[in-house]
Amino acid sequence: MKYIEAFRDGRLARKIAALIAREADSNRQYYLMEFCGGHTHAISRYGIADLLPDRIHMIHGPGCPVCVLPMGRLENAIQLAQMPGVVLCTYGDMLRIPTAKGNSLLKIKAQGADIRMVYSSTEALNIAQQNPQKTIVFLAIGFETTTPATAVVIKQAQALGLSNFTVFCNHVLTPSAISHILQSPEIRQLGLVQLDGFIGPAHVSTVIGSRPYEYFAEEFQKPVVIAGFEPLDVMQAILMLIRQLNTGRAEVENEFTRAVLPQGNIKAKRLVAEVFELRPSFEWRGLGHVPYSALRIKSCFADFDAEQRFEIPALSLADHKACECGAILRGVKHPRDCKIFGTACTPDNPVGSCMVSSEGACAAYFRYGRFRDSQNQQTTAQH
């Protein structure tokens, strides 16, 4: 804890907040997107928004891997889990994501499907070794953070000759998503979303480094500050973004120097490049089909690719009509803009993935009471 407490010091937080208030130009508004769901939770959990001046607006981005998985891929996973002899291994957050009709992996499990929650890809590999008579499908999701671990188990499965182990790959890429957001009609054509700068993701950047962000910082003239997940990390990143914007700069800066290098983790990147290749296009919840934004397993590891073994069809399915998760992931709407937020949609009864995931924006607002603050303000205004 001694390496964490220093980044949660309330006295230092107030000092940084005072600097932000003093340096933020009173004649302008600042619109900053924290891409990663971990930052969204830090902002809500530690009350960072309450320390910021009203002229600084935080916009929540699509940096939650569970949230951005489209409905069609979830339906594919449900179909896989119902196949005879298949054991589907998945991370816990995936179990409760509902389809538009209210189905989920958890409900399929209750009906008898062999679905097992794992904490790592290695657990799925172990299950394959322990159950040679079963076909194991590991539902692999996540950004660049979790991709190397999936690459490791695919190589291990090949070395061990585990013919009963496969991976349903849904790994997606951060820089492609950020570029897509900046090119979206809401920002470029319609002007619905004002966006001045980004708080860059922490764990993703430990793998890919800071250099991949330089393209869109220069191309779109939007500053990026990579930040850790502790409250002082986030507040320092906000201050650094304000200073860039005030001086007309659009650069990539690294606040998270204790973990992120410009070149990233070279060994992890080489491992990923050995096992995976780019998909020409991949569907994201809220963003639609994004070119070269996801990975697929290379042909030399095709024996461990669930999409090829089971000939998984491409499905494009609509989300629940009342759910605003897609718009929230694009930064167009806020969790409080959803009519069913905190009423029909809660963590106990989620309608959308943003309420299910531990990194979802709606879950953060519900868990830390941000929606109650809004309701109280609305009630006061009405009276």
Side-chain angles (χ1 to χ4, degrees), residues 71 74 95-104 285 350-353 356:
M71 195 67 73
L74 174 61
L95 289 173
R96 298 179 61 243
I97 297 179
T99 65
K101 296 181 180 180
N103 206 357
S104 69
R285 177 181 271 115
V351 175
S353 59
V356 177

Side-chain angles (χ1 to χ4, degrees), residues 225-287:
V225 176
I226 298 166
F229 286 128
E230 296 304 322
L232 294 190
D233 287 317
V234 178
M235 294 189 68
Q236 182 66 23
I238 292 171
L239 178 61
M240 293 167 71
L241 283 170
I242 288 171
R243 287 173 173 170
Q244 282 206 53
L245 292 167
N246 285 350
T247 56
R249 292 181 293 124
E251 302 171 1
V252 178
E253 293 184 312
N254 181 16
E255 183 278 335
F256 199 30
T257 54
R258 63 190 187 274
V260 174
L261 298 173
Q263 70 273 21
N265 187 322
I266 295 174
K267 184 176 181 179
K269 291 195 294 184
R270 285 176 178 168
L271 183 62
V272 169
E274 183 181 350
V275 177
F276 298 104
E277 62 187 8
L278 285 172
R279 294 178 187 264
S281 181
F282 190 78
E283 184 182 1
W284 295 53
R285 177 181 271 115
L287 302 185

Side-chain angles (χ1 to χ4, degrees), residues 23 59 91 109 126 144 176 276 321 337 353-354 375 379:
E23 297 190 30
I59 301 169
Y91 298 128
K109 177 178 174 64
N126 292 339
E144 292 91 340
S176 301
F276 298 104
K321 291 182 179 179
D337 295 329
S353 59
C354 291
Q375 290 174 340
T379 302

Side-chain angles (χ1 to χ4, degrees), residues 161-235:
L162 281 180
S163 60
N164 68 325
F165 180 78
T166 65
V167 172
F168 181 31
C169 181
N170 295 277
H171 287 299
V172 289
L173 305 175
T174 302
S176 301
I178 295 177
S179 294
H180 189 76
I181 290 170
L182 291 170
Q183 292 172 335
S184 68
E186 289 93 351
I187 292 176
R188 277 207 156 181
Q189 299 171 23
L190 305 178
L192 297 176
V193 180
Q194 179 68 33
L195 188 56
D196 297 318
F198 286 93
I199 297 178
H203 293 158
V204 163
S205 300
T206 63
V207 176
I208 67 173
S210 59
R211 287 174 182 160
Y213 307 106
E214 292 175 358
Y215 162 73
F216 56 81
E218 181 177 349
E219 175 71 16
F220 301 101
Q221 287 297 290
K222 305 293 183 184
V224 180
V225 176
I226 298 166
F229 286 128
E230 296 304 322
L232 294 190
D233 287 317
V234 178
M235 294 189 68

Side-chain angles (χ1 to χ4, degrees), residues 322-371:
C323 178
E324 298 286 4
C325 187
I328 293 167
L329 292 169
R330 296 196 308 276
V332 177
K333 291 191 176 183
H334 193 276
R336 294 190 294 250
D337 295 329
C338 184
K339 293 179 181 179
I340 60 174
F341 173 78
T343 54
C345 183
T346 66
D348 290 334
N349 183 41
V351 175
S353 59
C354 291
M355 186 63 86
V356 177
S357 171
S358 59
E359 294 188 0
C362 294
Y365 271 71
F366 190 95
R367 181 175 182 181
Y368 300 113
R370 294 287 148 193
F371 77 99

Side-chain angles (χ1 to χ4, degrees), residues 77 80-81 86-95 105 109 113-131 134-141 150 164-170:
L80 280 171
V86 166
V87 178
L88 184 77
C89 297
T90 178
Y91 298 128
D93 279 357
M94 288 300 305
L95 289 173
L105 287 171
K109 177 178 174 64
D114 195 344
I115 300 173
R116 306 187 192 186
M117 186 184 77
V118 295
Y119 290 96
S120 70
S121 55
T122 302
E123 279 191 62
L125 191 72
N126 292 339
I127 291 171
Q129 290 178 293
Q130 295 161 7
N131 297 272
K134 298 280 189 177
T135 299
I136 310 303
V137 178
F138 173 55
L139 176 54
I141 67 162
T150 303
N164 68 325
F165 180 78
T166 65
V167 172
F168 181 31
C169 181
N170 295 277

